[in-house]
Amino acid sequence: MSADRVRPDACPGAIDVHLAADGGLARIRVPGGTLDARRFDAVRLAALELGDGWIELTSRANLQVRGLPPGAEHELGARLAEVGLLPSRTHERMRNIVAAPLEDNQALVDEIDRALCAVPGLAQLPGRFLVTVGEAVAGLGGDVGLVGDALLLAGRDCGLRVTDPVAAVVAAAERFQEIRGTAWRLSEVDGGVADITDAIGGPRGEPVDTAVIPVAPGPVGDRVVAGVPLGRLNARLLAGTPVRVTPWRSLVLPAGADTTGLITDPASPWHGVSACTGRPGCAKSLADVRADAARWVAARQGSGPAHWSGCARRCGRPAGQVVEFVATGDGYEEIR
């Protein structure tokens, strides 16, 4: 069903910040989630020196810095540009590329990112436009995606098989921009998937299943996956450490990295628990969801994904099966 939007999406960027109750909120796009130590230190120090001292991990494997005073976004932008984290000021809000974090795909992500940024018209894509790369993230509902040579559209295999994945992603993005009208996502455009499939054309293949395959905390070969409690990382941690951000609010680190304060045991009661910002940072929130989630974790029995939301918008809800606790102003509604 087509969406008739009366306003542009309000997704924040690294420079075009959102004014939250606790100050400016900047969202730093990290296509593929990979940051070398220099770049991650630039974000850490920006959070410590310009923001509230914390880094938030989003469900699209991006990073957020909160608590920015008025005008601090200019210094933040300069710092990010210096280390290559702001390669295009015109396209920065649409650089959402989530990649399977344990696959060797960062080079492909970088090619896609450069190619998208090289098309002037794609600067007008909504900040919610999403590209996925890899099997583990195929079910995250991207507008355009790749699993091997299979092209995904609106989170499903459209049947096309591509020999040039970068060109196919760009072509799909350009056609979406042409037909989207005021819609923010491809799934909102009537006939959008069929239109793009016909426009690109090419050979067909057997259907590919799309799923979400989260990575669990713990060692993986020469790396370790470390969850970040409630997706909120103390910016004093992991100095000088390269990281790969996952869409499950965790980090892939080199083996031997200092994981103090992080989740490395899949049996931890914190594993799989997420929350929106809540009070006092969000003016729309009806509760201090992080504090309430922490109390719930302390008394928790068993395990399984759970997400806490401060209002009916349910921001930050992870993909897949998850128990939700949604603040109502008079407690929480539990949604299963």
Side-chain angles (χ1 to χ4, degrees), residues 63-119:
L63 302 177
Q64 293 185 164
V65 174
R66 304 185 67 95
L68 295 166
E73 66 270 17
H74 302 299
E75 173 64 19
L76 175 63
R79 293 186 183 202
L80 297 177
E82 184 179 359
V83 296
L85 284 174
L86 194 61
S88 172
R89 291 176 179 259
T90 55
H91 290 64
E92 65 116 355
R93 286 196 327 122
M94 51 71 66
R95 298 174 62 238
N96 298 298
I97 308 177
V98 177
L102 297 181
E103 295 181 16
D104 182 13
N105 52 31
Q106 188 60 48
L108 174 58
V109 168
D110 292 341
E111 285 188 60
I112 294 171
D113 184 35
R114 287 191 293 268
L116 291 171
C117 289
V119 181

Side-chain angles (χ1 to χ4, degrees), residues 5-282:
R5 306 288 188 184
V6 296
R7 61 173 177 81
D9 73 277
C11 293
I15 299 173
D16 184 15
V17 302
H18 167 67
L19 185 58
D22 58 349
L25 164 63
R27 183 173 298 160
I28 304 164
R29 267 67 178 186
V30 187
T34 299
L35 290 168
D36 61 21
R38 177 171 175 254
R39 290 179 172 178
F40 186 59
D41 277 345
V43 177
R44 282 192 327 97
L45 292 174
L48 289 169
E49 297 169 3
L50 304 176
D52 65 0
W54 296 82
I55 300 170
E56 292 182 338
L57 280 61
T58 78
S59 58
R60 290 183 164 196
N62 292 317
L63 302 177
Q64 293 185 164
V65 174
R66 304 185 67 95
L68 295 166
E73 66 270 17
H74 302 299
E75 173 64 19
L76 175 63
R79 293 186 183 202
L80 297 177
E82 184 179 359
V83 296
L85 284 174
L86 194 61
S88 172
R89 291 176 179 259
T90 55
H91 290 64
E92 65 116 355
R93 286 196 327 122
M94 51 71 66
R95 298 174 62 238
N96 298 298
I97 308 177
V98 177
L102 297 181
E103 295 181 16
D104 182 13
N105 52 31
Q106 188 60 48
L108 174 58
V109 168
D110 292 341
E111 285 188 60
I112 294 171
D113 184 35
R114 287 191 293 268
L116 291 171
C117 289
V119 181
L122 295 183
Q124 303 306 314
L125 281 171
R128 300 192 184 193
F129 181 79
L130 177 64
V131 177
T132 63
V133 176
E135 181 182 7
V137 297
L140 290 180
D143 298 283
V144 185
L146 296 166
V147 176
D149 65 350
L151 182 68
L152 313 182
L153 295 174
R156 295 289 182 268
D157 180 9
C158 72
L160 293 182
R161 298 298 174 260
V162 298
T163 56
D164 187 337
V166 177
V169 170
V170 172
E174 288 184 295
R175 186 58 185 160
F176 170 61
Q177 176 64 3
E178 291 171 357
I179 66 174
R180 73 178 184 89
T182 56
W184 294 343
R185 304 299 308 276
L186 175 56
S187 60
E188 299 170 345
V189 181
D190 288 337
V193 170
D195 182 295
I196 294 175
T197 302
D198 290 343
I200 294 177
R204 303 280 180 145
E206 291 298 316
V208 171
D209 290 332
T210 55
V212 179
I213 310 172
V215 293
V220 182
D222 60 352
R223 296 168 289 179
V224 60
V225 177
V228 177
L230 299 182
R232 195 163 181 254
L233 179 71
N234 186 327
R236 291 180 174 81
L237 301 179
L238 300 176
T241 305
V243 306
R244 190 168 199 186
V245 188
T246 85
W248 303 288
R249 296 181 173 89
S250 59
L251 299 170
V252 181
L253 308 171
D258 185 356
T259 56
T260 302
L262 304 178
I263 306 164
T264 55
D265 181 355
S268 166
W270 285 100
H271 174 45
V273 181
S274 58
C276 71
T277 297
R279 289 180 176 172
C282 178

